[in-house]
Amino acid sequence: MRFITISRVLQQHRNKIQIQLRCHRHLHSVPNRPSVGIAFDIDGVILRGRSPIGDSPKALRRLYDYDADSGSLKIPYLFLTNGRGIPESRRASELSQLLGVNIDPIQIVQGHSPFKNLLTRFENELIVATGKGEPAVVMSEYGFKKAISLDEYASYFKNIDPLSPYKTWTTTQPCNEQKSSGFDVTSERVKAAFVVSDPVDWSRDIQVLCDILRSGGLPGEKSEHQPHMYFAADDLEYQAVFPSERLGMGAFRIALESIFNSIHHKPLKYTSFGKPNPFVFKNAESILMELNGIYKDTKSHSFKTLYMIGDNPSVDIKGARQAGHPWFSILTRTGVFRGKENHTYYPADKVVDTVADAVEFILRREAIA
């Protein structure tokens, strides 16, 4: 049995976006604000690994009046992804280099971006973050003062991972690093665990997370209280460089939950963010309004249409369909989806071959030159 407590988080007032718009001309809205916006998935739509696909650089340049460096946006857009395990500012810089357009951090909405809304709850509490990339750095940049990676956390507990001697990639963290920061992880209870991105060492992470969750936040102790558990996303598969889909964070969640429920008398309680959660699409709409120069959520300035361009029917298309008006879903054949016809269970409003085709369709449909 799953416990999705996302509704309690959604009831909290959305924090004001902390990253201020930089004074790039390309983010300024045109005099007549467009009534449409676009959300792009990244993996399988814009990139495969680090390589652009589907003429994505050209597609993005079509969204500017003149060029991607000096022109203003004809249509505001952002990237809506369940990845990536690095700060939004660094992801924006990465994409700018790979795609040849200037991308601002505010245009990056990752699966873990909503974690910043939990700052008031856990700002001064010990939290553990895991996943590829730099999960603890992500949480620290959001303002969490006692964020520690699971890699480092495990290093404080001798023999907590019985398979460690057989892992040639295991590294040892300095044992006095966190103590010099004003807290001791061996005596302070973890209040929350965050899966920021796809975990790398599943066996170690499942073992240590079970220890944390069953002990009330301090491995080796006994407690009936389960610390809070958060997942940045819950997609089962995603498209990477390998031709076949790869297992995603949802697969890790299933593994952790199954094992935890088998060894503990109470089922795992957790909260999942990321697409296809309708909150993600509502949040994206608010950011697109800001990119469009609209700072008040008024009906007179609402978008006529918001386009979600994705490759995963069960994540991108399902999410846009659940979000409802004004979302319009476009499914590409460059990632998870490769079918000739529309998807059976989560049909998109439009199916195209590439993201370039999707952008051309939008420009024609909206009569934007």
Side-chain angles (χ1 to χ4, degrees), residues 167-188:
K167 298 174 181 176
T168 58
W169 65 87
T170 300
T171 57
T172 302
Q173 300 285 344
C175 292
N176 60 353
E177 184 173 325
Q178 286 301 321
K179 293 179 181 179
S180 64
S181 299
F183 58 96
D184 182 0
V185 301
T186 62
S187 61
E188 187 170 348

Side-chain angles (χ1 to χ4, degrees), residues 75-94:
I75 299 178
Y77 72 89
L78 53 73
F79 297 96
L80 193 59
T81 173
N82 280 350
R84 162 79 161 53
I86 60 175
E88 286 77 4
S89 57
R90 194 179 308 172
R91 187 59 167 150
S93 178
E94 263 188 15

Side-chain angles (χ1 to χ4, degrees), residues 132 197-200 202 234-240 242 244-255 312 336:
K132 66 185 179 185
S197 54
D198 301 314
V200 176
W202 280 35
D234 203 34
D235 44 338
L236 184 63
E237 295 180 309
Y238 69 98
Q239 184 63 57
F242 194 76
S244 300
E245 296 81 12
R246 302 294 85 191
L247 296 176
M249 207 180 309
F252 176 80
R253 192 268 306 159
I254 291 171
N312 192 330
V336 172

Side-chain angles (χ1 to χ4, degrees), residues 345-356:
Y345 300 109
Y346 304 111
D349 294 305
K350 178 71 176 178
V351 180
V352 297
D353 288 332
T354 68
V355 66

Side-chain angles (χ1 to χ4, degrees), residues 18-31:
Q18 298 172 344
I19 302 174
Q20 298 297 320
L21 285 172
R22 293 180 293 179
C23 296
H24 290 316
R25 184 181 174 188
H26 76 284
L27 282 180
H28 291 178
S29 58
V30 293

Side-chain angles (χ1 to χ4, degrees), residues 14 17 34-39 76-80 106 109 277-308 320 323-328:
R14 188 173 72 88
I17 294 178
S35 60
V36 299
I38 302 176
Y77 72 89
L78 53 73
F79 297 96
L80 193 59
I106 197 175
V109 183
N277 197 297
F279 163 74
V280 173
F281 291 82
K282 186 64 178 177
N283 183 54
E285 180 177 359
S286 298
I287 295 173
L288 286 167
M289 290 180 71
E290 295 199 25
L291 287 168
N292 207 26
I294 302 170
Y295 294 91
K296 292 183 179 179
D297 190 10
T298 59
K299 291 184 179 180
S300 61
H301 292 301
S302 295
F303 285 104
K304 180 185 72 174
T305 309
L306 290 174
Y307 294 92
M308 176 69 229
H325 180 79
W327 288 93
F328 183 102

